[in-house]
Every structure is written in structure tokens, then in C-alpha cells.
Amino acid sequence: MLVSLKWLRDYVDCSLDPRELAEKLTMAGLEVESVNPGGPDFSGVVVARIESLKPHPNADKLSLCEVGTGDRTYRVVCGASNIKVGDLVPLATVGAAIPGGYTIRHSTIRGEASEGMLCSEEELKIGDDDSGIMILDPSLPLGEDLRKALDLEDTVLDVAVTPNRPDCLSILGIAREVAVITGSRLHYPETVCPERGDPIESQTSVEILSPHLCPRYTARLIKNVRVRPSPLWLRVRLEAVGLRAINNVVDVTNFVMMELGQPLHAFDFAFLEEGRIVVRGAEEGEEFRSLDEKTRLLKKDMLVICDGVKPVAIAGIMGGLNSEVREETDTILLESAYFDPASIRKTARILGMSTDAAFRFERGVDPEGVTRALDRAAMLMAELSDGDVAPGIIDEYPQPLEVPGPIRLRSARAADIIGISLEPFRVKKILLDLEMVVEESKEGEFVVTPPSFRGDLTREIDLIEEIARVNGYDEIPPTLPFLTPPSRRDEKAERVDDLIRDVFLGLGYLEVINYSFTSPDSGHKLGFPEDHESWRFVRIANPLTEDSSVLRTNLVYGLLESMGRNINVGNTDLKFFEMGNIFLHVNEDKLPWERYRIAGLLTGARYDRSWHYKDMLSDFYDIKGCLETLFATLGIERPRFVPTQGVPFLHPGRAAEIFLGDKPAGVMGEVHPDVLAGMDIHQAAFVFELDRDSLLEVALLSRTFHEIPRFPAINRDVAFLVENDVKAGDIIALCRSEEEELLEKVDVFDVYSGPSIPAGMKSLALRFTYRSAAKTLADHEINETHQRVVQRIVEATGAKIRGAI
């Protein structure tokens, strides 16, 4: 919120330097984000008097003026016709800078020298009147800088007001804070409203049909108004806080909104059919044309302000074109109301209408300040428009709102929380300065009733926070907190997590952290059937957007989204991994089921692109090798990768389920092309997802030292002709199951199918490594074991030996 320091000082006696004031406000919980010079952006403009005025000899529409500043006379060529001798006017002297980036220079116009420029309001950006030269008050001193003469110098504070402090969304609200933290005196603005004519009750009425959405609605009637431009002081105040001046009626409503924090609206009474106001819910599909000249379709639960026939405003957000204030407006019905914050927030979001009024209503205005703002605005409106305020106000308040009730406050409790002891009289003074009603029930204990504008104060701890911030956070001495030692954490889980990170970082992967919130469409995009557990979403009660309205049921979808975003900005070679929880809905009475998962994604080039690695893309075996490295690091022996077609987001024939022992621990493979196309990704990707608890069960973090073999190994290579459905892993497991003492390991070094291989068959080449820990093996010792192993494979699989070395 923008706060004009000059405007602020109308209500509080504060002579602090702007920077010092900003520091104090920030330390009191109202962060001042910037301190900027305010006022119109011009310099070198002074007050001058028209001394003489005569026609330009060479131009019919120009005049030659002599203007004096008290110590010098200037010749100026001017084209305006609204000036006369004796008028005081703004003179931009040679070298002056005026808005728009213009610098005034000595010039010759139609043969006559001009030593400056006489300015209009619009040219100086202190008003919209561009019809002629600005005529100044004749009492202003000649030669004085115009910014100083018109009191335009200002400083503007940009204050970040937190959502729980709607009372500070006004100049008076900030003034209250300044008065409390500086000990200055606070001045409330005058709200005495002279009345004249027939009572308002005889001329109009208000009916509230939706009291749950509009608990209170008040109105005044101002007759015989003259709509015209606002005086300079009002325009300057509004422009200092970022509002554009419109006319004296509308400007008053904006002025009071910024002054007191209560939005108001002025209706042209002549356009209110039946001369009355009805507050009701909108009809489904009802059309309304707002002041921004847009037609909007309303929904049933939206609140509208109507006359006797039609809507004339969207409550708390914006008025309608059908009742706006015009130049010919004669009578104003002035509205000041309290609307349900949740209703205003919902309506503003659905309609996409973010207004200053909605911003305040949706955070909650002071229900007891409604009439004060109404009287203040009516008084100013009558004063600036020569209008007459009808006697009385309409105050419909069918359901009085609950205001903050009495709160018990213990000084001892405050001392425990804050960390310092304050004398009871000091505590009481702080609370009284904050305009609370304080009664001392017994020594050191108080019964405190907050003011109606502090709806955020409902508990003892809220009052303690107020005491701490007003007394000064810098008064709290630094101390070490008393902490209960944490319970022993799962050291094995921490070590496993650290090793997982080390492995993937060492393999060139980057760790990513995606939001736990995701789209309910993720299950559909990954191809899961609706009865799959990945559709068991935990829904968020109040999501920011529909795309983040549920908790994720897997990590793969987030990695694919990250891949898509990176590819869109040109990063096509990616290695990601993520570690985090997934959430599955159980039932309404239980907390969601959480599991900790590790997932990774690989796409693009296998190596950094260079002349000797041209077009070498990552594939299934790259990500499989990464997992094998992980398992080896965790001491997990003999993981099995079993082909599967049961994972919807993986490519059939290029996917595997991962088993550790007999238990499934995760999946891996190439992402299905349809899934990638559905996410607008046009590049192959390979992913895995593992259950961390499954890794913990079998991880062996201790290591046993084995002496480096002193005797040589002997290799035997055999190519088997087997059917396509025979798995190399099954053959290797078969060799290991017999526990041949001399057989050290078995590796696959070639798989071939093609010419010379019968259809439905493949050639599987295995390398058998034999070694003894006690001696160098002789051929006959190796041959005996090798023949036994090969024969076992032939008998178990029906393989034919294609070749042997």
C-alpha cells in the first residue's frame, strides 16, 4: 500500500525522517519496501504574474506576454486565451524540466523571442484540465518554486500489509501504528455532517434479502450536487497513492476509502428505478455491464446491489454503467456497507475483477466503521459539490456481527513468551495505546477487549505478540532456547539417502524438487485406469489452482513436466532424479498413506556432444546401468529386472519391474510415446521409480574385506541358441544357484538375432569366469566344472550350443 507522508501527518504528529519512520514501521511488523519522493515530476517552475498581454504581430492565435517573478520580467509567447493581466500563473523558466521528458529552452516563435512557457494543469500532471493556463491563487508569493508554493513536496512509503492486518489498508490505520510506536498524538478526521431538507427515510429505502452475505448496509442521500473537477489538494492526495482523479463525487469516495479503509460507492439517484436499494443474490446467468464497460455473466451465489428492478453494482467490487455519476448528476445515493469477505473474494476471483474495494472487503473491513466513513464522505461531498445532505441515515443491520470479545491476559505468561518481564503498567499502556479496553482483574492479569477494527486479535497469544512488537523486538535479549533433545533418527535411512544422492550426482544427474501438489489429470495423462491406485488422489481443501488441487501419487509425472519445461527452453540433454513422498487416499476417516520414493529420468545424448560421440543417444540400458550401480553401492545383491507390460506409462517391451529378492521394489523403462505426446513432448525419455523402504530392507551398508585374488582367472565363452522368451537373467541365476566353487561370475557379452538364426530364436553369448583362491587351475579342472554348468543350462532351457571357446 502506498502511504503519502504528507497525508499521514494530517492525522499524527510525527517529525521523524522518512527513512527512520520506515525502519520503525518495519520493526513493528509493517514492512516498508521502499521510500520514494512523491509529488508531480517537474522542476524549475515558479509563480509569476501576467504584467502585460498583447497580440502577436505575426500570428492571430498567439499572444506576447510579459510575466514577472518579483525580481525579473520574462517575455513569453503563449497560445492560451484564458489569461488576463494580473493573473498568477505557473512559469517554466529556461532549463525547467516538465513531465514527459521535456526541457524548456530559449526559442523564437514566429519571429518573437520566448523565454519560457506558461503551463496548464495537464502539462504539469497536477490535474486533467488542458483547456488553458492554470490560474493560481493570488495570495501565492511571486517567484517561489511552484512545488513549494502549492505544497506538492511529498514522500511516499510503499508498505507491505500482511493479510491479517486489514486495519492498516488505510492512511488512518498506518497513522494509528505510527502514533503507538512513536508515542505521538493521533487526530481522527472530522465526521460532523450538516444536514438539510427532507429526511432520507421519506425519499428512499434499503432492503437486504441476503443478510448472510451483507450483514450491514448504510446509505445517505446528497441532493443539489454539482459534479466538477476536484480541488487541487484532493487530486494531489489521490495521485500520491496511485489513484487517478475523476470528479469531486467519485474522488471523495476514493479519498475516504484510502483515508479510513472503508470502500464506498456513489449512485446517481435519478437512475435508481423505484428510488430504492435491494441487496440480493444474483440470478444464474444474469448479465451485468460494469463501469469498465464489460458485460459479465453472474452466478447464483454472487451478491449484487439492485434498485427496484435491476442490478446496479456487483457488491463490494464495482458499480454499473447504468447508475454511474455523470456531469449532469444532481442527487447522489451514497453506499457504505459490510460484505462477507469470503463471498467477495470468491466473486472477484471468478469474474477476474481485482479492485481496490474488493481487496479491502475480502480481507475484512471494520463493521463499526461503516457509518463513520459514510458521514465523512457525505460531509466532504456536500462541501466540494455544494450539495445538501438529507437528514438521517439508513442503517440496515439485521444480523449484528460478533466483534472480538474479552480476552484474559496474564503478565507472567507474556514474560515467558517474550523472554522479558514488563511492568503491568507498561503492558496496560501498550494495550490502551492500541485502543483496547483494559480492565485489571487482579494483580498482573487483565481482561482486554480489542477494538472492532482488530478482528485478528482473538487469543491471549495475539495480545502478547502486540506487546512484543510495540515494545520492540530489539528489546528482547538474545538467549539460547531450551530444547528437548530430538528422538534418535533412523540412521540407516539417512545413510541410504545420502548414498543415493552421491551415486546419482556422481553419474551426472541433477536433483530436482517438484511440488507435492499436482493436477488431477495426471492419472489420465500417464494412462492409468481409473481403478488404479494412482487415481486415489488426496484432494486439497482450498487449492490455488485446479492444476495443483491434489497431492501426487507418483514422482514420474513431475519429472516429465520438468523435462517438458526444459526442452521448451532448449535444454534437451537431461538427467534428473528426485526423492520425496507420494500420497494415496485411504478413506475420509484416515490420514493419507505416504510412501517415500526415488525416481529418475534420462533423455537426450548419452555423452556431452562432441566429434567422437556423434548422435549417441541414451537408451534403456543406460538407466538400467545407473540402477545397477546404485544397487551395488547399497550392497544389494542380485537385483532382477523382469520384463513387464503392466505399467501404463512405459513402452511395452521396453519396460521392466525391479525385484529385490522376491519382493517388487519399483519399475523402469522407456516412457510410452502416447504419454509423451499427451504432454507435448517429442523426445524419447527413460524413467525409473523405486520404493525407498524396499531398498532399506535389503541394503547392506557394512563391507567385508576380501583379499585381492593372487591366482589368475580363466574365461570360457559359449554362444547358446535359445528361444526369444528365454531370459539371460534366468540363465545366470541358474548358474549361481548350484554354487559351483570355481565359478566366479557369469556375464552376457552378446545377444544376436538375424540372418543365420532361426525365426523365434536368438543367440545368447555368455562369458564364464573361473578362479581358485588356492591355486592356478589346470584345464582339466576347469573343463569338468564348465561342462557341468553348460549341460545344466542346456537341460533347463532346451538351448543348443552354437559355439564355444
Side-chain angles (χ1 to χ4, degrees):
M1 173 176 163
L2 299 180
V3 177
S4 161
L5 191 56
K6 182 176 294 181
W7 194 353
L8 184 71
R9 286 174 175 158
D10 288 345
Y11 315 116
V12 62
D13 303 324
C14 178
S15 58
L16 290 177
D17 174 85
R19 297 284 176 183
E20 186 178 356
L21 176 60
E23 177 67 20
K24 285 186 174 295
L25 284 172
T26 299
M27 291 303 296
L30 291 170
E31 181 186 0
V32 178
E33 296 183 332
S34 64
V35 179
N36 303 302
D41 185 21
F42 62 79
S43 62
V45 182
V46 298
V47 178
R49 178 189 290 118
I50 306 289
E51 304 290 354
S52 69
L53 190 63
K54 59 184 179 180
H56 193 293
N58 303 317
D60 293 337
K61 295 184 179 181
L62 298 180
S63 300
L64 294 180
C65 307
E66 288 191 347
V67 293
T69 59
D71 59 352
R72 183 181 169 186
T73 300
Y74 297 81
R75 284 175 58 85
V76 178
V77 175
C78 178
S81 59
N82 68 316
I83 54 176
K84 63 182 184 299
V85 174
D87 283 344
L88 263 58
V89 295
L91 170 65
T93 58
V94 174
I98 62 174
Y102 301 109
T103 300
I104 304 302
R105 305 184 185 280
H106 192 289
S107 60
T108 301
I109 303 175
R110 294 291 185 94
E112 295 290 336
S114 184
E115 301 175 286
M117 172 181 167
L118 304 185
C119 303
S120 68
E121 287 184 0
E122 195 278 333
E123 286 167 333
L124 296 177
K125 300 304 180 189
I126 55 176
D128 295 328
D129 188 359
D130 60 356
S131 61
I133 301 303
M134 182 179 184
I135 308 300
L136 302 175
D137 188 318
S139 64
L140 296 180
L142 287 177
E144 187 164 40
D145 185 277
L146 188 65
R147 291 172 64 93
K148 182 178 180 181
L150 296 181
D151 195 23
L152 300 177
E153 300 285 352
D154 200 0
T155 300
V156 177
L157 310 180
D158 189 355
V159 183
V161 180
T162 53
N164 67 315
R165 293 299 306 274
D167 59 298
C168 290
L169 290 174
S170 65
I171 304 296
L172 184 63
I174 300 296
R176 285 195 197 102
E177 292 292 305
V178 173
V180 171
I181 62 181
T182 64
S184 304
R185 184 181 175 188
L186 182 68
H187 310 282
Y188 274 88
E190 183 182 358
T191 57
V192 177
C193 184
E195 300 174 336
R196 182 185 305 172
D198 297 330
I200 188 173
E201 291 87 353
S202 66
Q203 303 178 67
T204 187
S205 65
V206 172
E207 182 181 9
I208 300 177
L209 300 181
S210 301
H212 62 293
L213 299 180
C214 176
R216 189 176 194 183
Y217 192 100
T218 68
R220 270 195 179 273
L221 203 64
I222 303 97
K223 306 185 77 172
N224 303 319
V225 301
R226 292 176 58 196
V227 179
R228 56 195 175 195
S230 295
L232 180 62
W233 69 266
L234 179 53
R235 299 199 304 268
V236 169
R237 286 285 189 268
L238 293 178
E239 288 164 6
V241 295
L243 297 179
R244 182 175 63 88
I246 299 173
N247 58 53
N248 55 348
V249 172
V250 176
D251 291 351
V252 164
T253 63
N254 286 332
F255 176 85
V256 174
M257 177 182 69
M258 298 305 300
E259 180 185 54
L260 302 180
Q262 170 68 47
L264 306 108
H265 188 70
F267 297 100
D268 186 330
F269 189 67
F271 290 94
L272 297 182
E273 297 189 51
E274 300 182 7
R276 65 192 183 101
I277 289 292
V278 178
V279 184
R280 63 168 173 82
E283 298 176 4
E284 186 69 32
E286 190 170 13
E287 287 191 356
F288 179 74
R289 190 164 178 81
S290 51
L291 283 171
D292 58 3
E293 300 184 359
K294 294 182 179 178
T295 300
R296 292 178 164 85
L297 292 179
L298 306 180
K299 294 184 177 295
K300 187 176 181 180
D301 54 353
M302 295 178 178
L303 186 69
V304 291
I305 310 300
C306 304
D307 57 20
V309 176
K310 63 186 183 301
V312 291
I314 302 174
I317 299 176
M318 188 177 289
L321 278 175
N322 55 9
S323 61
E324 71 170 329
V325 175
R326 301 164 172 82
E327 286 187 11
E328 58 272 17
T329 296
D330 173 74
T331 302
I332 295 293
L333 187 139
L334 182 62
E335 163 198 288
S336 180
Y338 181 94
F339 300 116
D340 176 61
S343 171
I344 300 300
R345 183 183 305 114
K346 184 177 180 181
T347 300
R349 298 298 183 275
I350 292 174
L351 298 180
M353 301 175 72
S354 178
T355 64
D356 289 321
F359 186 78
R360 286 161 175 79
F361 277 126
E362 69 185 25
R363 283 158 175 77
V365 299
D366 178 9
E368 300 305 315
V370 169
T371 53
R372 180 176 62 221
L374 181 70
D375 288 343
R376 172 69 168 164
M379 182 194 78
L380 291 173
M381 206 171 284
E383 178 184 321
L384 299 180
S385 69
D386 301 326
D388 300 320
V389 179
I393 68 170
I394 293 176
D395 186 358
E396 289 295 316
Y397 201 0
Q399 292 185 359
L401 294 164
E402 292 186 9
V403 296
I407 304 170
R408 176 172 171 251
L409 174 65
R410 297 161 291 172
S411 296
R413 178 60 175 161
D416 289 342
I417 296 294
I418 300 173
I420 56 175
S421 295
L422 296 174
E423 294 293 334
F425 77 87
R426 172 62 177 157
V427 172
K428 185 174 182 179
K429 183 178 187 310
I430 290 174
L431 297 174
L432 290 174
D433 288 346
L434 290 166
E435 301 188 28
M436 303 187 195
V437 177
V438 183
E439 297 178 5
E440 192 164 359
S441 58
K442 59 182 179 180
E443 186 176 356
E445 291 192 11
F446 304 94
V447 176
V448 182
T449 303
S452 59
F453 56 80
R454 289 302 303 273
D456 59 310
L457 304 180
T458 59
R459 304 167 298 165
E460 181 183 37
I461 193 65
D462 298 328
L463 299 179
I464 293 173
E465 181 184 5
E466 291 298 293
I467 294 167
R469 73 180 187 86
V470 172
N471 189 65
Y473 292 127
D474 54 344
E475 295 294 325
I476 301 174
T479 57
L480 292 175
F482 295 97
L483 298 176
T484 302
S487 59
R488 187 176 181 84
R489 293 175 294 180
D490 188 338
E491 293 184 1
K492 183 176 182 181
E494 288 188 0
R495 289 186 62 193
V496 166
D497 288 348
D498 289 343
L499 284 172
I500 291 171
R501 285 190 174 90
D502 290 344
V503 167
F504 283 109
L505 292 173
L507 292 170
Y509 285 71
L510 295 176
E511 183 173 7
V512 299
I513 301 175
N514 287 307
Y515 288 116
S516 296
F517 306 141
T518 190
S519 168
D521 197 35
S522 60
H524 170 71
K525 287 187 176 181
L526 292 180
F528 288 111
E530 292 194 9
D531 59 351
H532 193 274
E533 68 173 20
S534 289
W535 279 90
R536 287 163 49 192
F537 293 115
V538 178
R539 295 202 167 269
I540 299 166
N542 188 25
L544 294 176
T545 66
E546 180 62 21
D547 287 341
S548 58
S549 60
V550 297
L551 293 176
R552 63 188 179 188
T553 56
N554 61 76
L555 301 185
V556 169
Y557 184 75
L559 293 180
L560 289 172
E561 284 191 314
S562 297
M563 172 185 170
R565 285 191 294 268
N566 274 271
I567 289 177
N568 287 340
V569 296
N571 301 324
T572 58
D573 303 330
L574 305 169
K575 291 182 176 181
F576 290 153
F577 79 98
E578 182 175 10
M579 304 169 66
N581 283 324
I582 65 163
F583 308 85
L584 298 177
H585 177 74
V586 179
N587 59 51
E588 299 300 333
D589 300 326
K590 292 185 179 181
L591 292 174
W593 184 74
E594 294 185 44
R595 294 289 285 184
Y596 196 78
R597 296 283 174 85
I598 301 100
L601 179 144
L602 178 63
T603 185
R606 176 177 295 166
Y607 307 109
D608 291 340
R609 298 177 188 269
S610 62
W611 63 271
H612 57 297
Y613 288 135
K614 293 181 180 179
D615 300 326
M616 296 184 67
L617 299 179
S618 303
D619 60 21
F620 176 94
Y621 295 101
D622 290 298
I623 203 162
K624 179 174 181 285
C626 293
L627 291 175
E628 289 173 334
T629 301
L630 173 65
F631 296 145
T633 304
L634 297 179
I636 299 174
E637 297 182 349
R638 301 178 183 178
R640 292 188 297 127
F641 298 85
V642 179
T644 181
Q645 295 187 0
V647 184
F649 62 84
L650 295 180
H651 195 302
R654 302 179 189 177
E657 189 171 6
I658 302 167
F659 284 82
L660 303 179
D662 295 329
K663 295 182 179 180
V667 295
M668 63 152 292
E670 182 177 345
V671 180
H672 199 293
D674 291 346
V675 172
L676 294 174
M679 299 183 70
D680 197 25
I681 298 173
H682 307 287
Q683 178 174 307
F686 305 88
V687 298
F688 70 85
E689 185 165 311
L690 298 171
D691 180 64
R692 198 271 304 270
D693 289 345
S694 298
L695 301 184
L696 286 178
E697 289 180 14
V698 295
L700 184 62
L701 303 183
S702 59
R703 291 291 187 266
T704 302
F705 173 76
H706 294 279
E707 183 181 2
I708 297 175
R710 293 184 295 165
F711 301 100
I714 304 296
N715 294 328
R716 292 286 189 268
D717 295 344
V718 181
F720 296 95
L721 191 63
V722 297
E723 294 182 356
N724 280 334
D725 61 353
V726 175
K727 302 177 183 63
D730 291 342
I731 296 177
I732 293 173
L734 175 66
C735 298
R736 289 171 174 166
S737 65
E738 296 301 325
E739 298 183 356
E740 292 283 352
E741 182 180 357
L742 299 182
L743 181 61
E744 187 174 76
K745 63 179 179 177
V746 182
D747 295 312
V748 178
F749 70 88
D750 186 48
V751 179
Y752 173 74
S753 59
S756 76
I757 300 296
M761 307 287 284
K762 64 182 176 183
S763 173
L764 188 63
L766 303 180
R767 176 163 294 153
F768 300 85
T769 301
Y770 299 94
R771 190 197 307 267
S772 170
K775 63 179 181 177
T776 300
L777 294 173
D779 282 345
H780 70 276
E781 295 174 301
I782 298 172
N783 292 340
E784 182 180 344
T785 300
H786 182 63
Q787 289 173 3
R788 202 165 48 242
V789 171
V790 170
Q791 186 60 34
R792 194 176 299 123
I793 293 172
V794 170
E795 293 173 355
T797 65
K800 297 180 180 179
I801 298 176
R802 187 163 175 259
I805 300 176

